[in-house]
Each structure stands twice: as C-alpha cells, then as structure tokens.
Amino acid sequence: MTRSISIFGATGSIGQSTIDLIKRDQKSYNVVALTGGRNIEQLAKDAIDLNADVAVTSEENLLGALLAALAGSGVEVSAGRNAILEAADRPVDWSMSAIFGAAGLEPGLRALRHGTTLALANKESLVTAGDLLLGEAKKCGAKILPVDSEHSAIFQALIGEDIATVERIIITASGGAFRDWPLHRIATATPEQAATHPNWDMGQRITIDSASMFNKALEVIETKEFFGVHPSQIEVLVHPQSLVHALVGFNDGALMAHVGPPDMRHAIGFALHWPDRRKLPVDRLDLAAIGQLDFKAPEDSRYPALKLAQFVMERGGLAGSVFNAAKEKALDAFIERKIGFLDMTSLVEDVLNQLVSKDGLNKDAMTLDTVANADQMARKYGQELIAQGRYGSN
Ligand code: NAD
Ligand code: MG
C-alpha cells in the first residue's frame, strides 16, 4: 500500500534526510507536496525524482525560476507563504514539518487538520505555541511524532511506560563547537567557527544554536511541552560523543537510555515507520571500539542560554514565542556580524525582560495572532537594541 506524504522544508538538512529515506523505497510513497526556499535547483530535482504533485518555494520572486526548472515535468508550481499553506491543506497520510523557525508553525497546524501523522522536526512550533499545536492535534485526532533526536529517544524510551512513573528526563548535548574552548576566546568566535559541529552534520543555523546551547534551551522547552512534565524534572547533560540521545528516569531508579549513531535518519525513519520499526541505513555502533561514554554537567558560564529556558518555562504562555523570535533575531545579527557570539544571549535576555515582565505580553491568550504578535514585537525590540549599538561585534 502506498502512503501519501508531504515534506515542508524539503530542501533543508532534515528535508533532505527524509528524501534520502523516501528515495530508497519510492514505490511505497505517493509524494504530494514538497516545499523549499531559495534552493530552486534542489527543489525541482527532488520534485521530478519523486514525481511530486506540487512544488512550492516560499520566495515569491523565485516563482519564475521554479516554473522554468519544472517546465514540462507535470509538477504543479506555486510560490509564497499562502502557497505553502495551501500545500499543507492537501490531505496526506504523513507529513514532515521541517521548515526552520517560527515559519514552520502554521503549515504544521494546517497539516494536523487531516487527522493523520505529523512528524515534527520544527521544535519552534512547540516552543512558540505548544498549546495550540497539541490542542489542534487532539481536536483533529492527529498524531504528532517528535523528530528531534532527543525527543524521539524519549518517546522511544517511554513506549509501554506510564508517564506518571517518570521522575526525570535527561537530554544530552554535545556541547557544540566551543565545548573545549577557553571561556575568554568564546566572546570572539566567528559565525564560521560556530557553524562547525563536532558530531552532527546539520543546517548552519541549528549548528550555531548548538554552540550557544540555544538549541538545547529550545529542546528543554520542547520536552516540557511535548511530554507534559514539570520543568524541574528536565535535566541537560553534556555528552561529547552524542551517542546517548536522552535518558528517562523512572520512580524505581531505572534509567532508560536511548543509544544510537548521530544520524537524523534514525529519528526521521522511526517517525516514518511508526508504530513499526524497520531497517534503516544508519551505522551500527561498535561500543567496544567506542570504548567510553562521557558525561558532565553543563557550566552556567559557558552556556547561559540554558537558564533563559527556565525563565521561559516559568512564565509560560507567549514567553516561548518571544524567546524564539529574539533568538532568531540574535542569530541573524550574529551571522551578519552585527553582534558577537555571547551577545546573542544578552540580547535575548534583554528582550525577554522587556516583553515578558510580570504581566507584559503574557496576559494575552494564545492564538495564532497573539503568537505572531509576540514574535514581531520581540524581533522589533531586538532590532532596536542592536541599532542602539548596545552590543559589541566581531
Ligand atoms: P535548514 O535551514 O537546513 O532547512 C530549512 C528548510 O526550511 C529549508 O527547506 C528552507 O527552504 C525552509 N525555510 C526556511 N525558512 C522558511 C520560511 N520562512 N518559509 C518557508 N520555508 C522556509 O534547517 P534544518 O536544519 O533542516 O532544520 C529544520 C527544522 O528541524 C528546525 O526546526 C530545526 O530546529 C529542526 N531540527 C533539525 C535538526 C538537524 O539535524 N538539522 C535536528 C533536529 C531538529
Ligand atoms: Mg536535537
């Protein structure tokens, strides 16, 4: 039986790994929609190879280029944000939410309305609007499967278990590019240095977010939202080998660890075949050759972003949207060399303090509009702070 699928963010790192798995067993899938951004060549190639119904670029000015690249192929073509949402309205059995950032929220929400399965790589959806996303899934009878490696690991460790018996959840972090750098050097790190990951081969932005631990901060919030545990039950452990992805601690003292190669095709493949397990083209670990697994507590001074996650979880509501948007703004500014590496955390903290004060934005109920408004206000205020020259630069 073939399954109909769509991939949002098909040209990115997660999208390409998903396509790699699909191409290995193409007859089992009927590809409905593929969406991408500026990489028209890749999008067109995959749309032809997979015989997709429709290919969509988020960039309206690239419609002509996509039309030209797909001329005569029989693949429908469209462009722009609304076109992505329309693509998400096309019913499918399984969709992959792998757009980067807050832009992934709405396509994911639309895809949930089919009442089928949404594989969720876009952690920002849960961070910015967990209640909306989970509420929509419940209402529509859809299943959300986590694709972030740590959350897939937790999900797998919880199979057959009662969440009420969980005492704690530990997610691991590689420690990123600057794990072993002396602290004084980190302030002067460049985007190129931050975008080099010791273990995982990922997109540029998430790799920089790994070095700053903003990625882990998002993942801590994602854990709270997805599994419904209390923030005090979530721990982060630096684990340089990136082989143990997460551990779940139960009330009898048992720790169930998920161990696997650092290859996103495992978590993607698990979500693709769930509830079955199927053979996947990932390396098998030779633990004797690996020899040892190391763990240590993250130092606050090296990874200040982690404490911001605690603040965001305490505040709840729209704090997640402010946090994520401020983080995206800070990341852009760092990549554009307008602020330094450590300034990213200062900027996000300043935006949170301004917008998520005692009442602040958090008195508003969570809707798509208030989430988007919180996002815009955070970016705007972040921009103002950068323009004031408050932070150093490289
Ligand atoms: P990426 O930057 O490599 O790819 C992002 C994709 O989204 C591209 O197809 C791009 O065209 C599209 N896109 C970007 N901005 C868009 C917008 N405004 N509108 C529409 N489309 C847009 O990102 P990635 O590393 O594949 O990450 C995707 C998501 O998966 C993120 O939420 C990330 O946190 C999560 N994730 C990634 C990894 C990884 O290994 N890369 C691991 C875990 C979770
Ligand atoms: Mg992860």
Side-chain angles (χ1 to χ4, degrees), residues 290-310:
I290 292 160
Q292 86 185 55
L293 299 173
D294 300 306
F295 301 96
K296 64 176 181 182
E299 300 155 68
D300 291 346
S301 53
R302 192 174 290 273
Y303 303 119
L306 287 178
K307 77 173 188 313
L308 297 181
Q310 291 300 325

Side-chain angles (χ1 to χ4, degrees), residues 9-15 35-38 58 81 84 97-101 103 121-124 147-149 200-206 215 219 264:
T11 54
S13 169
I14 293 286
T35 83
R38 292 194 194 92
S58 58
R81 174 143 191 87
I84 292 182
S97 170
I99 286 175
F100 193 94
N122 180 263
K123 64 192 81 181
E124 297 88 347
V147 170
D148 220 346
S149 55
W200 295 89
D201 179 14
M202 309 186 288
Q204 179 209 32
R205 296 172 70 82
I206 190 173
N215 182 50
E219 290 181 357
M264 286 308 296

Side-chain angles (χ1 to χ4, degrees), residues 84-389:
I84 292 182
L85 297 181
E86 278 163 22
D89 287 339
R90 298 187 185 211
V92 285
D93 300 317
W94 189 91
S95 22
M96 166 57 80
S97 170
I99 286 175
F100 193 94
L105 171 62
E106 222 180 329
L109 270 174
R110 296 275 193 118
L112 282 174
R113 295 193 185 143
H114 309 309
T116 51
T117 304
L118 180 71
L120 189 71
N122 180 263
K123 64 192 81 181
E124 297 88 347
S125 312
L126 279 171
V127 171
T128 59
D131 287 354
L132 281 187
L133 204 75
L134 298 172
E136 193 72 21
K138 202 167 174 195
K139 196 172 95 193
C140 303
K143 181 79 185 166
I144 301 179
L145 296 173
V147 170
D148 220 346
S149 55
E150 298 76 3
H151 305 76
S152 174
I154 299 164
F155 186 90
Q156 293 178 50
L158 282 172
I159 291 172
E161 304 286 355
D162 178 357
I163 189 82
T165 65
V166 171
E167 270 179 1
R168 57 185 180 144
I169 292 179
I170 305 169
I171 60 175
T172 63
S174 69
F178 308 138
R179 183 180 62 213
D180 303 318
W181 280 34
L183 277 179
H184 68 272
R185 259 188 81 199
I186 298 180
T188 63
T190 64
E192 291 74 24
Q193 288 166 328
T196 311
H197 199 281
N199 306 332
W200 295 89
D201 179 14
M202 309 186 288
Q204 179 209 32
R205 296 172 70 82
I206 190 173
T207 305
I208 299 176
D209 281 350
S210 294
S212 63
M213 283 272 192
F214 269 115
N215 182 50
K216 212 47 59 180
L218 293 176
E219 290 181 357
V220 167
I221 304 169
E222 183 186 10
T223 303
K224 171 189 169 271
E225 294 295 328
F226 194 86
F227 298 101
V229 291
H230 191 269
S232 62
Q233 292 176 282
I234 307 168
E235 297 167 30
V236 175
L237 208 50
V238 174
H239 167 48
Q241 291 90 356
S242 294
L243 299 176
V244 178
H245 303 302
L247 307 96
V248 178
F250 294 92
N251 59 3
D252 60 354
L255 271 178
M256 300 289 269
H258 181 284
V259 188
D263 184 334
M264 286 308 296
R265 292 177 306 170
H266 171 76
I268 297 167
F270 179 82
L272 184 60
H273 301 307
W274 180 87
D276 301 331
R277 271 193 198 276
R278 301 244 183 103
K279 220 172 160 59
L280 291 174
V282 301
D283 290 346
R284 273 38 178 179
L285 292 180
D286 179 347
L287 288 177
I290 292 160
Q292 86 185 55
L293 299 173
D294 300 306
F295 301 96
K296 64 176 181 182
E299 300 155 68
D300 291 346
S301 53
R302 192 174 290 273
Y303 303 119
L306 287 178
K307 77 173 188 313
L308 297 181
Q310 291 300 325
F311 175 81
V312 170
M313 290 189 292
E314 276 159 27
R315 293 301 156 105
L318 298 172
S321 185
V322 171
F323 177 64
N324 179 65
K327 189 279 290 179
E328 288 190 22
K329 187 81 217 170
L331 181 58
D332 287 338
F334 173 65
I335 291 171
E336 291 160 18
R337 293 182 159 75
K338 291 183 182 144
I339 65 172
F341 184 75
L342 294 176
D343 296 327
M344 287 194 283
T345 318
S346 310
L347 174 62
V348 174
E349 189 169 10
D350 291 344
V351 174
L352 277 172
N353 283 337
Q354 173 70 19
L355 298 181
V356 194
S357 54
K358 232 179 169 128
D359 298 320
L361 277 171
N362 260 2
K363 63 186 182 311
D364 297 335
M366 186 182 279
T367 65
L368 261 184
D369 284 345
T370 58
V371 170
N373 180 49
D375 179 287
Q376 277 158 24
M377 285 182 69
R379 284 172 206 264
K380 188 161 165 269
Y381 187 61
Q383 180 56 42
E384 278 169 31
L385 292 177
I386 295 166
Q388 285 166 16

